[in-house]
Amino acid sequence: MGAPAQIATAASWRSDFPALAQDIHGQPLVYLDSAASSQQPAAVIDAVARYHREDHANVHRGVHTLSHRATEAYEGARDKVVGFINASSRSEIVMTSGTTESINLVAQSYCRPRLQTGDKIVITHLEHHANIVPWQLVCEQTGAELVVAPINDRGELELEQMLEQIDDRVCLVAVAHVSNALGTVCPLSRIVEHCRARGIPVLVDGAQGVPHLQVDVQDLGCDFYAFSAHKMFGPTGTGVLYGREELLDAMPPWQGGGDMILEVSFEKTVYNELPYKFEAGTPNISGVVGLGAAIDYLQGIGMDRVAEYEHELHDYMVSELRKVPGIRLFGEAHDKASAQSFLVDDIHSHDLGTILDHQGVAIRTGHHCAMPVMQRFGISGTARASLALYNNRDDVDRLVEALGKAKEIFG
Ligand SMILES: Cc1ncc(COP(=O)(O)O)c(C=O)c1O
């Protein structure tokens, strides 16, 4: 497909997102903070509003029409997730409040009953705090050890060293699909292949994977895959834990309450079947409806097109940023998606972020909930621009122009 056709298509994607059509401090908004939370297309906003206006009731337990409709909408969204990540069945899709809860669920329900003193969990130096702290907690609870695979100066995993760290005391390996701070795409297939041969499950933190890359959990061969709706054009407070059925089946419930049971007496409770065993209490029904609409939206475009478009735009962003005098890029891995971290001269990242905001350019600054990444590079934080399918080359040009202004101010 030629470049002009790509640009025309992307322009129409952008107009699907009402929040982007506004001025900030008198300038058209350039939104480059999608790694923190993406904007929502009208299709998602409308689906959630329609649900609230017409269909809202509690799910599963009701015999009346609205409850049937709410249940259909909620369970219909689960079916969409199955197709979106190519799970084997709806039993493998647990609705959670987000990536963080999904990872905590696995730490407490899969690892905690299995871990003993001297056992290990392997993570990487790239991880978001959500894929560090839950493992630290379970290690503290059980006497297990947290092992951290190193990264190099380009922000790539030192894969051979990581594979050597994965020995027969390892209970689980947890790794990001894409680093939120550096944009590195991790070599999942090599890691999964190595772990599968040793019978070690792999959890993938897919928070930054699903919005940008085609994800096929069966093809990846991972055992768990966690992600959040709000980073893929859906609402906040909603997410997914994919788990291989065999593993989820063998895990005890994580939280107790309504909906996760078949029968309760004071003597004994019989738990519900998968995936409901892990969904205690009233779920975030409207959030899940919004997630379903976000999946429809992304599938309407096609994840292969999203990935191709963003890849080209990311390359353009990096090449333009490199032209800014005094810039230091953090995260120069061979395989990258969406995010680019940087610093300019000795301007503090928060100052950069504030000056850019005054020019209508929204970026994220600070440690990005990845303090160990910052420690690895000897810095306290970075400025980070992260792309989504609604961004274009003009956005990148505005970013670079705004950085020039920041340099003038601090000159
Ligand atoms: C790589 C990664 N993992 C986990 C999370 C946590 O996601 P949430 O706060 O939606 O649970 C984030 C959020 O930025 C992330 O980027």
Side-chain angles (χ1 to χ4, degrees), residues 210-232:
V210 282
H212 308 293
L213 305 170
Q214 176 95 52
V215 172
D216 179 328
V217 287
Q218 295 189 62
D219 190 43
L220 276 176
C222 61
D223 299 273
F224 299 103
Y225 193 99
F227 60 98
S228 301
H230 71 101
K231 295 184 196 288
M232 48 173 285

Side-chain angles (χ1 to χ4, degrees), residues 35-36 97-101 103 128 130-131 176 178-180 205-208 228 230-231 368-369 384:
S97 65
T99 310
T100 303
E101 189 177 63
I103 296 173
H128 185 282
N131 204 24
V178 177
S179 151
N180 69 311
D205 171 353
Q208 304 291 343
S228 301
H230 71 101
K231 295 184 196 288
H368 317 296
C369 294
R384 179 190 70 187

Side-chain angles (χ1 to χ4, degrees), residues 45-90:
I45 297 166
D46 292 349
V48 173
R50 193 179 323 111
Y51 166 79
H52 281 302
R53 270 200 311 268
E54 298 171 13
D55 299 332
H56 174 66
N58 211 331
V59 287
H60 298 147
R61 295 176 283 264
V63 293
H64 60 81
T65 302
L66 289 191
S67 180
H68 281 306
R69 276 198 223 151
T71 303
E72 240 170 61
Y74 181 79
E75 293 302 331
R78 194 191 310 275
D79 290 330
K80 289 175 189 181
V81 176
V82 172
F84 186 56
I85 62 169
N86 193 29
S88 309
S89 87
R90 60 199 325 281

Side-chain angles (χ1 to χ4, degrees), residues 52-360:
H52 281 302
R53 270 200 311 268
E54 298 171 13
D55 299 332
H56 174 66
N58 211 331
V59 287
H60 298 147
R61 295 176 283 264
V63 293
H64 60 81
T65 302
L66 289 191
S67 180
H68 281 306
R69 276 198 223 151
T71 303
E72 240 170 61
Y74 181 79
E75 293 302 331
R78 194 191 310 275
D79 290 330
K80 289 175 189 181
V81 176
V82 172
F84 186 56
I85 62 169
N86 193 29
S88 309
S89 87
R90 60 199 325 281
S91 306
E92 299 186 321
I93 304 300
V94 178
M95 296 301 181
T96 65
S97 65
T99 310
T100 303
E101 189 177 63
S102 299
I103 296 173
N104 276 280
L105 194 165
V106 175
Q108 290 301 316
S109 179
Y110 181 81
C111 292
R112 191 172 179 176
R114 286 173 174 76
L115 283 174
Q116 292 177 358
T117 308
D119 288 343
K120 300 175 195 171
I121 302 280
V122 175
I123 61 170
T124 84
H125 211 124
L126 281 173
E127 304 306 321
H128 185 282
H129 298 163
N131 204 24
I132 301 174
V133 185
W135 310 117
Q136 286 176 327
L137 287 171
V138 77
C139 285
E140 271 168 29
Q141 288 156 350
T142 59
E145 184 194 345
L146 190 64
V147 177
V148 182
I151 55 174
N152 63 23
D153 290 345
R154 294 166 63 85
E156 294 163 324
L157 262 185
E158 291 284 13
L159 185 62
E160 297 309 323
Q161 286 185 49
M162 179 177 187
L163 299 185
E164 275 169 30
Q165 290 170 315
I166 301 172
D167 60 26
D168 60 4
R169 291 308 302 263
V170 174
C171 171
L172 180 132
V173 172
V175 57
H177 195 168
V178 177
S179 151
N180 69 311
L182 301 175
T184 310
V185 180
C186 290
L188 293 183
S189 52
R190 287 283 312 278
I191 296 167
V192 169
E193 186 192 358
H194 184 88
C195 291
R196 282 220 122 171
R198 288 156 185 79
I200 300 166
V202 177
L203 175 141
V204 178
D205 171 353
Q208 304 291 343
V210 282
H212 308 293
L213 305 170
Q214 176 95 52
V215 172
D216 179 328
V217 287
Q218 295 189 62
D219 190 43
L220 276 176
C222 61
D223 299 273
F224 299 103
Y225 193 99
F227 60 98
S228 301
H230 71 101
K231 295 184 196 288
M232 48 173 285
F233 312 136
T236 52
T238 307
V240 171
L241 173 67
Y242 157 80
R244 272 206 303 120
E245 188 162 352
E246 189 193 335
L247 298 189
L248 288 179
D249 216 22
M251 287 158 55
W254 182 45
Q255 292 179 328
D259 240 22
M260 50 73 72
I261 53 87
L262 288 177
E263 205 182 306
V264 176
S265 71
F266 288 121
E267 289 71 38
K268 182 172 166 55
T269 289
V270 181
Y271 305 129
N272 206 340
E273 62 197 23
L274 288 176
Y276 311 107
K277 182 172 82 172
F278 292 109
E279 293 180 9
T282 302
N284 183 348
I285 308 165
S286 64
V288 171
V289 169
L291 169 62
I295 289 173
D296 286 343
Y297 180 79
L298 279 166
Q299 286 185 321
I301 295 172
M303 287 310 296
D304 45 352
R305 284 175 76 202
V306 171
E308 188 190 339
Y309 174 76
E310 289 186 11
H311 192 75
E312 189 274 331
L313 189 58
H314 188 274
D315 282 354
Y316 177 72
M317 176 167 75
V318 172
S319 71
E320 291 305 296
L321 284 175
R322 276 192 210 288
K323 294 177 191 164
V324 176
I327 199 159
R328 279 185 291 157
L329 299 184
F330 299 90
E332 297 186 86
H334 179 66
D335 198 3
K336 294 207 42 190
S338 179
Q340 182 61 56
S341 269
F342 57 89
L343 286 171
V344 179
D345 299 331
D346 53 1
I347 307 172
H348 194 282
S349 63
H350 291 330
D351 292 333
L352 268 181
T354 306
I355 294 169
L356 265 55
D357 179 58
H358 280 275
Q359 297 169 80

